């Protein structure tokens, strides 16, 4: 049986991405995610078949930013003492991982947007398969997380054992924070995104069922997945993730439909939230946890206050070299991706990122729609998933460092998964170096 290597890499990335560090590799740091091993393989495999010209143009737009980051990290590494830094904090490792993720995401996007003669149904089916594998990967971590959580409180599993399968094991508000294969804040935002996807599938259950979609799941399965994911989100004790799901729910409730439809959705969401809140409060002091989280903003010993101190310290360093910044990888601990970019890359780097972002946004907005795509509930779910991923990534970047997180690059991938195929003249291939001259 012939195996398609591009399809295998695509499936492997979607499945292993949410699993993260749940499959540890001996000898490597705990932050190493197993899917990192697919990045160089995927870049070679996808590049060998050629790169779609539209995606290659996206890469050219990003090239000045990548070159600037590499130079910035190189100067930081060469002229500053980095001997005491771990591999995770090394600027060369960080810029190398970012570059690999970018090249991989663009190459994979080119594969999904290829111009082979296929029906719209087969194109969408392949993309839906990727989202299904992402959901499956998350469900695997969810099951492992409950084994860890219950095992710990039953005295069967130790923190030392659980720590082998997580990037970071922490306690918060008297609870073992839920983070299988990840660290609590990252797992919290991923859980919020996944909870949003379960919500979409519940809301779209009838259209998906009528279309015989591979995303159609029975309520007997969706209901438990929703409850278990909601509980996992709560157990991460990640405040930013709580806010993200509330924002995502507001988006889902208010998007599309008549005023009466929106009012009906709001009523259902309010009743469901009330029932779930009362049920959870009977087992744990949910209101007390929320109150503690709000008070933490004014607590000088809490994480929020420490981040304000870190931002001020980074600002003082930035003031010494505002044009080029403090060097890529020098401020990764300030827990704000926007400020991190600005302080590390300076005014010049920030302008380059802004220009690249505007050009890519303009190109994406101009891409045509697939004929008849309005009748496809699958494509509708992919587009909503893309918007939800973007909401979560942009919000989480305010209070964390998510440049190299799987969800960030899944968001990029969803941009291509939710975009319609275009004509073969627009997606002709830029061949690999050994496959002949450019057409």
């Amino acid at each position: 049986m012939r195996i398609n290597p591009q399809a295998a890499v695509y499936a492997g990335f979607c499945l292993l991405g949410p699993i993260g560090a749940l499959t540890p590799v001996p000898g490597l740091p705990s932050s190493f995610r197993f899917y990192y091993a697919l990045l160089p393989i995927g870049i070679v495999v996808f590049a060998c078949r050629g790169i779609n010209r539209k995606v290659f143009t996206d890469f050219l737009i990003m090239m000045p930013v990548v070159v600037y980051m590499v130079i910035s990290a190189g100067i930081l590494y060469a002229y500053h003492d980095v001997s005491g830094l771990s591999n995770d904090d090394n600027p060369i490792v960080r810029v190398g991982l970012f570059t690999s993720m970018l090249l991989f995401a663009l190459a994979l996007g080119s594969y999904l947007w290829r111009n082979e003669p296929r029906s719209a149904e087969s194109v969408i089916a392949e993309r839906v398969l990727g989202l299904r594998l992402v959901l499956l990967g998350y469900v695997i971590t969810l099951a492992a997380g409950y084994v860890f959580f219950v095992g710990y409180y039953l005295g069967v599993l130790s923190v030392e054992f659980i720590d082998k399968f997580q990037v970071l094991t922490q306690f918060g508000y008297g609870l073992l924070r839920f983070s299988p294969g990840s660290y609590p804040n990252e797992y919290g935002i991923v859980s919020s995104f996944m909870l949003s996807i379960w919500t979409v599938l519940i809301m779209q259950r009838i259209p998906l069922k009528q279309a015989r979609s591979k995303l159609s799941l029975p309520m007997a399965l969706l209901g438990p997945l929703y409850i278990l994911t909601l509980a996992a989100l709560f157990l991460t004790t990640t405040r930013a993730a709580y806010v993200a799901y509330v924002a995502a729910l507001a988006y889902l409730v208010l998007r599309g439909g008549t005023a009466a439809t929106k009012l009906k959705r709001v009523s259902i969401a309010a009743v469901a939230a009330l029932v779930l809140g009362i049920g959870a409060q009977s087992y744990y002091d949910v209101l007390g946890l929320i109150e503690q989280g709000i008070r933490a903003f004014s607590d000088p010993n809490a994480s929020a206050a420490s981040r304000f101190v870190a931002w001020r310290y980074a600002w003082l360093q930035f003031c010494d070299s505002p044009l080029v910044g403090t060097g890529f990888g020098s401020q990764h601990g300030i827990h704000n991706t926007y400020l991190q970019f600005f302080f590390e890359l300076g005014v010049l780097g920030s302008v380059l990122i802004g220009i690249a972002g505007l050009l890519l946004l303009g190109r994406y907005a101009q891409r045509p729609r697939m004929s008849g795509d309005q009748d496809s509930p699958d494509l509708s779910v992919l587009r909503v998933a893309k918007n939800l991923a973007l909401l979560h990534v942009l919000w989480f970047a305010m209070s964390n460092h998510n440049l190299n997180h799987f969800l960030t690059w899944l968001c990029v991938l969803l941009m291509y998964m939710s975009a319609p195929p275009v004509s073969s003249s627009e997606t002709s291939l830029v061949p690999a170096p050994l496959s002949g001259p450019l057409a």
Side-chain angles (χ1 to χ4, degrees):
M1 184 175 64
R2 186 177 180 182
I3 298 177
N4 183 336
Q6 290 92 11
V9 172
Y10 167 54
F13 179 75
C14 292
L15 177 63
L16 295 174
I19 291 175
L22 195 60
T23 51
V25 180
L28 292 177
S30 61
S31 61
F32 181 84
R33 275 76 161 170
F34 192 75
Y35 72 87
Y36 289 170
L38 286 177
L39 301 182
I41 297 173
I43 291 170
V44 173
V45 166
F46 291 124
C48 282
R49 65 172 296 279
I51 299 297
N52 148 341
R53 288 185 182 275
K54 281 265 186 180
V55 177
F56 187 70
T57 302
D58 292 346
F59 170 72
L60 291 179
I61 291 173
M62 285 298 299
M63 180 58 73
V65 176
V66 174
V67 171
Y68 185 89
M69 286 180 171
V70 171
I71 294 174
S72 179
I75 292 175
L76 177 66
Y77 185 85
Y79 293 99
H80 293 79
D81 182 16
V82 295
S83 58
L85 296 179
S86 65
N87 288 331
D88 295 342
D89 299 333
N90 188 301
I92 299 301
V93 173
R94 296 180 72 84
V95 77
L97 180 57
F98 168 78
T99 304
S100 299
M101 293 289 278
L102 174 65
L103 292 175
F104 180 88
L106 292 177
L108 182 50
S110 176
Y111 167 74
L112 292 172
W113 214 22
R114 62 194 186 278
N115 63 330
E116 297 172 359
R118 299 182 297 160
S119 66
E121 291 76 14
S122 65
V123 171
I124 296 174
E126 183 178 45
R127 297 175 180 182
V128 165
L129 173 62
L131 182 57
R132 289 184 69 202
L133 289 172
V134 169
L135 297 176
L136 175 59
Y138 176 77
V139 170
I140 291 173
T141 68
L142 196 64
Y146 278 108
V147 169
F148 295 156
F149 190 83
V150 175
Y152 170 76
Y153 281 103
L154 289 179
V156 178
L157 300 179
S158 66
V159 172
E160 291 73 22
F161 175 82
I162 296 172
D163 200 46
K164 297 178 186 295
F165 304 94
Q166 300 186 164
V167 174
L168 180 64
T169 302
Q170 291 179 321
F171 287 81
Y173 307 103
L175 292 171
L176 174 66
R177 301 184 73 185
F178 205 94
S179 57
S182 183
Y183 69 94
N185 288 342
E186 181 185 8
Y187 197 81
I189 202 70
V190 170
S191 294
S192 174
F193 170 72
M194 295 299 177
L195 191 63
S196 303
I197 297 299
W198 302 138
T199 306
V200 173
L201 297 184
I202 290 172
M203 295 174 69
Q204 293 282 88
R205 190 171 61 89
I206 294 177
L208 290 171
K209 184 177 180 179
Q210 291 174 342
R212 297 182 180 179
S213 167
K214 294 294 185 180
L215 288 171
S216 176
L217 298 174
M219 278 303 298
L221 181 59
L222 279 173
L225 284 174
Y226 182 91
I227 297 298
L228 290 172
T229 304
L230 180 63
L233 171 61
F234 173 76
L235 293 173
T236 64
T237 66
T238 303
R239 289 164 295 182
Y242 299 165
V243 175
Y245 181 64
V246 171
L249 190 59
Y251 161 72
L252 293 175
V253 167
L254 297 176
R255 65 177 289 272
T258 62
T261 300
K262 293 177 182 178
L263 181 60
K264 179 181 177 181
R265 292 174 186 164
V266 170
S267 302
I268 294 173
V271 171
L274 183 61
V275 171
L276 289 171
I278 293 174
Q281 185 70 25
S282 63
Y283 292 97
Y284 189 83
D285 186 10
V286 178
L287 295 178
L289 177 61
I290 295 174
E291 182 183 355
Q292 289 181 56
I294 295 173
R295 276 191 311 211
F297 284 100
S298 59
D299 184 353
N301 298 317
S303 59
S306 65
R307 290 177 187 181
F308 296 147
V309 173
W311 296 351
R312 183 176 182 278
Y313 182 68
W315 166 257
L316 294 175
Q317 290 180 304
F318 165 80
C319 289
D320 292 333
S321 53
L323 184 61
V324 297
T326 60
F328 183 83
S330 61
Q331 306 292 346
H332 62 272
I334 64 175
H335 297 282
N336 184 303
T337 302
Y338 306 112
L339 292 180
Q340 178 185 338
F341 272 146
F342 183 65
F343 292 150
E344 290 182 348
L345 303 179
V347 175
L348 180 58
S350 299
V351 169
L352 284 176
I353 292 174
I355 293 174
L358 289 175
L359 289 174
L360 291 173
L361 184 63
R363 283 171 54 77
Y364 184 82
Q366 293 172 4
R367 289 173 184 167
R369 291 184 177 273
M370 184 188 302
S371 59
D373 66 0
Q374 297 296 332
D375 299 326
S376 169
D378 279 332
L379 193 60
S380 174
V381 169
L382 287 172
R383 285 180 174 152
V384 173
K386 176 257 299 180
N387 293 337
L388 290 170
L390 189 61
L391 182 155
H392 282 81
V393 168
L394 294 178
W395 166 246
F396 194 58
M398 290 288 294
S399 60
N400 226 284
H401 43 84
N402 62 343
L403 182 61
N404 291 324
H405 284 185
F406 171 73
L407 183 58
T408 300
W409 294 99
L410 175 63
C411 180
V412 175
L413 188 57
L414 283 167
M415 294 284 185
Y416 292 106
M417 292 169 69
S418 61
V422 290
S423 66
S424 60
S425 62
E426 291 179 301
T427 59
S428 56
L429 297 181
V430 176
L434 299 181
S435 61
L438 290 177

